[in-house]
Amino acid sequence: MPVTRQLLRPVSITFILLTFAIALLINLLPWQASVANFAPDFVAMMVVYWTLNQPRRIGIATAFLLGIVMDVGDGNVLGQHALAYTVMAYLTLSRQRLIAVFPFWQQALVALGLLTLGQTLMVLIQLALGNNFVGWAYFVGNVLAAVLWAPLCNLMLSHQRKPVVVNL
Amino acid sequence: MQSNQPAFFKQGPKPLTRLLVFAMLSLALVIGDARYSMLGRVREQISVLLYPLQWLATAPFKAIRTGNDFLTRQADLQAENRQLHDAQLVARANEMKLKALETENTYLRGLTAAQASQPRASQLTEVLYNGRDPFSAKLIVDRGDKQGVHAGQIAIDSRGVVGQVVRVQPLTSEVRLLSDRNHMVPVEVERTQMRTVVYGMGRQQLLEIHNLAPNVDIQVGDMLHTSGIDGIYPAGLPVAKVVKVDRQATSFARILCEPLAEVDKHRFLLLLDAPGGRPAYPVEETASAPATKPKRGR
């Protein structure tokens, strides 16, 4: 069920920060290199998720900061992830009211589009810096991210859902 | 839901403004970092913040490994011990020979004042993780400025050269792998003593030797080791093995090599100290001193 049709408990900022920390943690796991392209970018998913569900709190600035942190973690050129996340957060915000009422499978498609766009930006930056294109497999992780979107949303919402009380 | 209510009150700049501000900022960072590399301090600060997460990401694996080690059976230990003992004997014998050779070599080199293959101090580090971005072939290791690592050190594993330390942060540092695009290593073909340069072509790709004539004397299976002429890589470290030679491709031979070090697999790396410094370049006002050192990362 989409987020807006339910009465949810308010979410604390600590919880949001915790989810970002966990996403970063997953992105930094040492096996990331062996599964390389198949691992979805969890930080990007979290950025889209929270911008969608808490647009008052999480927005472009947060996305930018997380992007910088990812760049340092990866040893990349600074600003690559930052730009991608910023644009993703903006596009999410601009259609937030619409997307937030979509069912999860449609949101997953939107997320797929956004993540792909973000990665395209990163590819463009790298091409501009003189690197080679790394092949289409680079985008495979996004498909996986889209598949994981609904379970992830349910998992995140389980924290906010009220326990069902049967009142007669 | 509260977060979806329309905003009647002022909430700061519009999203579009914010997008423009942050996008410009990102682009400025990209340019500042890639072209002028002037953001070292920022990077250092952020990397310190990130260190707990980096540590946490590797901690469970370390714990599992330690647990496994603890539970190893005694029989296994004994067998391993015996094996190591034998290996040590062999190594001892080799070492004695090596010592003699090294002394002789030091003496001879001392005569010619060339410092290329002197033994150097080294430092053991553990790989924290392998950056997930397919564009850069880099490893993050768990020693940094605080432990005396500095840029320009060479990382090797038990089989050969892995790469070079290019960026040092307070607690971690980045090793640029051989396979990173346009990473050059001056090498020597072991069989023919021919000197050349091997180039990286991107993560998880083979290395390539450029610009050699089609009739060059190089064969599949030839070993390449560092020649030491750049003053950064010490001479004689194994680097790669030739796996393919295509003499028909273009007007140059296309020679592909496979790194000997298991660039994406190892856990521990040895960082060799950078050379003790070459004699100062003769200062001449008229001649602009050419940059002899190869490019050190970006």
Side-chain angles (χ1 to χ4, degrees), chain B residues 2-256:
Chain B
Q2 183 198 0
S3 59
N4 268 338
Q5 284 167 359
F8 295 114
F9 305 104
K10 214 165 164 55
Q11 317 158 43
K14 277 186 188 168
L16 188 61
T17 326
R18 288 190 211 187
L19 170 75
L20 290 179
V21 168
F22 284 113
M24 294 310 273
L25 203 55
S26 313
L27 284 176
L29 283 178
V30 169
I31 295 166
D33 195 34
R35 285 280 170 268
Y36 307 105
S37 52
M38 53 187 189
L39 293 160
R41 294 314 298 272
V42 183
R43 223 177 242 282
E44 276 177 19
Q45 301 301 326
I46 300 174
S47 86
V48 173
L49 287 181
L50 206 56
Y51 187 73
L53 281 180
Q54 290 171 331
W55 179 84
L56 205 60
T58 40
F61 298 94
K62 233 183 245 179
I64 291 172
R65 240 184 277 135
T66 323
N68 268 341
D69 290 351
F70 186 72
L71 295 174
T72 317
R73 282 174 45 220
Q74 192 184 1
D76 292 345
L77 278 179
Q78 269 175 348
E80 198 185 328
N81 199 354
R82 206 168 298 132
Q83 205 182 333
L84 287 175
H85 202 73
D86 291 353
Q88 199 208 2
L89 276 181
V90 177
R92 264 287 162 71
N94 286 339
E95 192 199 16
M96 279 190 269
K97 267 187 276 176
L98 192 71
K99 271 272 163 57
L101 284 175
E102 219 165 59
T103 330
E104 193 184 326
N105 197 16
T106 316
Y107 175 68
L108 288 174
R109 293 220 173 243
L111 288 182
T112 56
Q115 302 275 315
S117 65
Q118 298 280 348
R120 296 172 177 198
S122 59
Q123 195 174 22
L124 193 69
T125 70
E126 186 166 3
V127 175
L128 274 180
Y129 60 93
N130 207 328
R132 70 193 295 285
D133 190 56
F135 284 105
S136 61
K138 279 188 185 146
L139 288 177
I140 316 290
V141 297
D142 70 344
R143 291 290 150 92
D145 203 20
K146 292 260 155 62
Q147 288 90 0
V149 174
H150 46 89
Q153 281 187 317
I154 306 305
I156 59 172
D157 73 352
S158 58
R159 291 162 181 248
V161 176
V162 173
Q164 190 184 41
V165 176
V166 288
R167 207 178 270 144
V168 182
Q169 281 136 5
L171 297 168
T172 54
S173 40
E174 288 170 22
V175 174
R176 189 184 184 205
L177 299 178
L178 288 183
S179 53
D180 197 28
R181 192 173 148 73
N182 288 337
H183 188 173
M184 302 171 235
V185 182
V187 293
E188 203 171 53
V189 181
E190 207 169 66
R191 188 172 52 86
T192 58
Q193 301 288 301
M194 181 183 68
R195 283 192 298 273
T196 175
V197 176
V198 69
Y199 288 74
M201 293 205 298
R203 180 150 158 179
Q204 286 173 353
Q205 297 196 35
L206 297 173
L207 313 176
E208 191 174 5
I209 302 178
H210 294 169
N211 305 338
L212 287 182
N215 63 351
V216 67
D217 180 15
I218 207 165
Q219 303 168 355
V220 172
D222 273 353
M223 300 300 241
L224 308 176
H225 58 76
T226 51
S227 61
I229 52 170
D230 59 340
I232 288 180
Y233 287 91
L237 296 174
V239 176
K241 192 169 122 183
V242 177
V243 291
K244 192 173 169 228
V245 182
D246 184 1
R247 298 176 195 277
Q248 315 286 325
T250 50
S251 45
F252 293 113
R254 188 173 153 78
I255 301 163
L256 297 176

Side-chain angles (χ1 to χ4, degrees), chain A residues 99-142:
Chain A
I99 304 168
V101 295
F102 279 173
F104 285 153
W105 68 270
Q106 283 182 20
Q107 282 185 2
L109 291 182
V110 173
L112 174 65
L114 287 170
L115 291 179
T116 311
L117 183 80
Q119 286 202 327
T120 312
L121 279 174
M122 294 201 254
V123 171
L124 288 180
I125 289 180
Q126 289 292 342
L127 290 184
L129 294 177
N131 277 315
N132 281 348
F133 183 52
V134 284
W136 295 103
Y138 184 46
F139 296 100
V140 172
N142 294 338

Side-chain angles (χ1 to χ4, degrees), chain A residues 3 7-20 46 49-58 155-162, chain B residues 1-3:
Chain A
V3 181
L7 278 175
L8 294 172
R9 282 195 278 207
V11 59
S12 71
I13 196 74
T14 329
F15 179 71
I16 299 182
L17 291 180
L18 186 72
T19 55
F20 279 135
M46 281 296 135
Y49 179 85
W50 285 122
T51 323
L52 205 56
N53 292 310
Q54 296 288 325
R56 294 273 174 280
R57 291 173 171 181
I58 303 299
L155 184 71
M156 305 282 284
L157 284 175
S158 66
H159 173 74
Q160 282 177 270
R161 280 186 181 128
K162 285 183 181 162
Chain B
M1 193 171 158
Q2 183 198 0
S3 59

Side-chain angles (χ1 to χ4, degrees), chain B residues 254-275:
Chain B
R254 188 173 153 78
I255 301 163
L256 297 176
C257 322
E258 189 179 34
L260 291 173
E262 289 167 321
V263 168
D264 280 333
K265 284 181 204 155
H266 30 55
R267 236 170 64 205
F268 291 102
L269 296 177
L270 204 60
L271 298 184
L272 295 185
D273 250 347

